[in-house]
Amino acid sequence: MKKAITLTVLSGVLLAGCSGPAKDAEYKNINDLGKAYEQAVGDGMKCSENKNKIDDYGWVQTTCGPTGIIMMFTSDAKREEIKQKNPLESGRRWIQGKNWLVEADQFQAEKAQKSLGGELLSS
């Protein structure tokens, strides 16, 4: 009986340690979003650390890998303003979350969206 309980507890701990980022989360800072994106995409993806404060301009961004961009916003209006000023190029997608936006190549965006949640947008 002790073995069964120990194995059950151990497997629960292992599963918890392997879980991905929280789906449809609201992030407190850009670096936490970056870590979630790195975990969602995998393949050695690295996001640049950003020390800027979101309150300075109502938004903040950093890069992830050679082509990914992650952004956070203080309001939906600021997010829409940034999207309007920066139309997507061919083959790129947005993932729109509660207080964040990811711009990436289609394959990476689709992969990340499965883990991060949010809405996959083409324009």
Side-chain angles (χ1 to χ4, degrees):
M1 184 71 166
K2 278 188 174 182
K3 275 187 178 180
I5 292 172
T6 302
L7 288 175
T8 302
V9 170
L10 181 59
S11 63
V13 169
L14 290 174
L15 287 174
C18 295
S19 66
K23 226 174 184 172
D24 298 315
E26 185 170 343
Y27 293 92
K28 297 200 182 295
N29 68 63
I30 193 78
N31 297 316
D32 289 344
L33 174 58
K35 289 175 189 166
Y37 184 75
E38 290 171 357
Q39 191 175 10
V41 173
D43 299 327
M45 175 64 65
K46 292 291 180 199
C47 296
S48 300
E49 190 171 327
N50 187 316
K51 296 183 189 232
N52 294 327
K53 295 185 183 347
I54 194 169
D55 295 330
D56 290 346
Y57 299 102
W59 71 291
V60 65
Q61 79 172 34
T62 196
T63 58
C64 295
T67 61
I69 301 169
I70 59 172
M71 298 164 262
M72 286 183 55
F73 304 90
T74 56
S75 69
D76 292 343
K78 181 56 82 171
R79 179 177 49 213
E80 291 307 312
E81 175 189 336
I82 298 301
K83 283 172 43 182
Q84 292 298 318
K85 289 180 177 180
N86 298 284
L88 289 173
E89 293 179 13
S90 178
R92 305 277 291 169
R93 298 290 180 264
W94 280 311
I95 309 168
Q96 183 170 299
K98 291 185 179 187
N99 65 336
W100 52 270
L101 188 69
V102 171
E103 181 184 331
D105 294 330
Q106 183 171 344
F107 173 75
Q108 284 183 343
E110 290 171 351
K111 188 174 183 181
Q113 193 266 336
K114 288 178 184 176
S115 294
L116 296 175
E119 185 178 359
L120 190 63
L121 305 171
S122 59
S123 59

